[in-house]
Amino acid sequence: MSRKHRHLKGAEVSCCVKYFLFGFNIIFWLLGAAFLGIGLWAWAEKGVLSNLSLITDLGGFDPVWLFMVVGGVMFILGFAGCIGALRENTLLLKFFSVFLGLIFFLELTAGILAFVFKDWIKDQLNFFINNNIKAYRDDIDLQNLIDFTQEYWMCCGAHGPDDWNQNIYFNCTDRNPSRERCGVPFSCCVKNPAEDIINTQCGYDIRLEGDLDRQKSIYTKGCVGQFEKWLQDNLIVVAGIFVGTALLQIFGICLAQNLVSDVKAVKANW
């Protein structure tokens, strides 16, 4: 009896599972490559690739790292899943499912720890924002991230506008020669709907004024408090995203394990 005949008479690899897993991972792989490409392009634009010592010189969080890490993980997992499914390679499929399972476990652990240690997370968020306020002018990507955060959540600083006193360009010391002394970035300013052009000087000298005058011109609430409020207001949406992501991961693991079982069953009949 030929091997082909035995394969048809015995166990078979499900084409639906095989090509569905391949399609699932090809999208994953391409997205990872796109994220990785954006990260590398951003690093090249900032000259990091030609001078790797710049990595250690960054005073705050570089958003490019997020693209690099997420893109790298997605690229590796997508590659393993694609080739593993297409070639029916059990080693790559096991790597894909184990790694995806590990990521799922880490996400679950992080979620539980975040709920249990809410106050610690709040302190770390406060430290993270203040640390990046100090490095606001050091990196254009970090600057854009902070501006977006303050505009989106209508906040200023970690706990208020005075947090910008930690930045060498915005502090109120007599030794500060900057024109931005005792000011805040334009992203702290209350937007006027009638203005089409952003006034980048709207925050100049604003912290020299009293609290009532400040409230008319800039956001006076801190980003930590606004973030907590945003989470409470969008709890269902955030929970839905996490649950949906978890279900996709579990689905991918099940598909990979199902395909591994089919491949092993076919090989056992040879």
Side-chain angles (χ1 to χ4, degrees):
M1 185 183 291
S2 67
R3 189 166 72 174
K4 181 180 179 182
H5 184 67
R6 281 185 292 160
H7 173 73
L8 293 173
K9 285 292 183 180
E12 294 182 357
V13 173
S14 173
C15 289
C16 290
V17 172
K18 176 180 177 177
Y19 290 108
F20 196 90
L21 183 63
F22 174 76
F24 177 83
N25 279 283
I26 197 73
I27 297 173
F28 209 60
W29 188 22
L30 291 174
L31 283 174
F35 276 107
L36 201 55
I38 291 171
L40 290 171
W41 171 80
W43 266 16
E45 285 292 305
K46 291 190 286 189
V48 174
L49 295 179
S50 59
N51 184 9
L52 293 178
S53 64
L54 288 175
I55 297 175
T56 58
D57 293 338
L58 297 175
F61 170 73
D62 189 347
V64 175
W65 275 107
L66 190 62
F67 283 93
M68 297 289 288
V69 173
V70 172
V73 171
M74 290 177 66
F75 184 84
I76 293 170
L77 276 180
F79 176 80
C82 282
I83 304 302
L86 196 63
R87 303 289 298 176
E88 298 177 10
N89 187 307
T90 56
L91 183 63
L92 286 176
L93 289 172
K94 286 178 181 178
F95 170 81
F96 169 79
S97 58
V98 169
F99 208 107
L100 201 58
L102 179 62
I103 292 174
F104 173 75
F105 175 75
L106 291 175
E107 289 172 348
L108 186 62
T109 304
I112 295 171
L113 291 176
F115 179 77
V116 174
F117 299 102
K118 289 183 288 188
D119 292 336
W120 182 83
I121 295 293
K122 185 177 178 180
D123 291 339
Q124 292 304 306
L125 180 61
N126 178 49
F127 174 78
F128 175 79
I129 293 175
N130 281 326
N131 193 45
N132 287 301
I133 282 174
K134 296 176 185 177
Y136 177 73
R137 293 294 191 200
D138 296 343
D139 186 89
I140 187 63
D141 294 319
L142 173 63
Q143 183 175 312
N144 290 334
L145 178 64
I146 293 175
D147 286 335
F148 171 78
T149 300
Q150 293 188 144
E151 288 178 342
Y152 184 77
W153 283 325
M154 298 181 180
C155 58
C156 190
H159 291 288
D162 288 330
D163 288 335
W164 282 97
N165 216 39
Q166 300 174 79
N167 186 280
I168 60 173
Y169 299 100
F170 294 97
N171 69 58
C172 286
T173 59
D174 295 333
R175 298 188 303 274
N176 183 10
S178 172
R179 179 61 189 88
E180 295 175 311
R181 177 179 175 273
C182 285
V184 293
F186 72 92
S187 54
C188 286
C189 297
V190 177
K191 300 298 179 290
N192 185 350
E195 292 182 355
D196 295 329
I197 300 175
I198 297 175
N199 179 11
T200 57
Q201 300 179 358
C202 59
Y204 284 10
D205 303 321
I206 196 68
R207 287 190 292 117
L208 293 173
E209 300 179 5
D211 291 340
L212 291 177
D213 292 326
R214 286 187 190 184
Q215 292 176 7
K216 297 176 183 177
S217 304
I218 62 172
Y219 305 123
T220 55
K221 294 181 179 179
C223 292
V224 174
Q226 289 295 88
F227 177 67
E228 289 180 319
K229 182 179 180 297
W230 179 85
L231 275 181
Q232 292 173 355
D233 294 341
N234 297 274
L235 189 60
I236 295 176
V237 176
V238 173
I241 292 172
F242 276 104
V243 171
T245 303
L247 289 175
L248 276 175
Q249 290 172 329
I250 293 171
F251 182 61
I253 293 170
C254 290
L255 283 177
Q257 289 301 314
N258 191 299
L259 189 55
V260 168
S261 298
D262 285 353
V263 172
K264 285 184 176 180
V266 169
K267 288 182 177 179
N269 288 338
W270 286 357

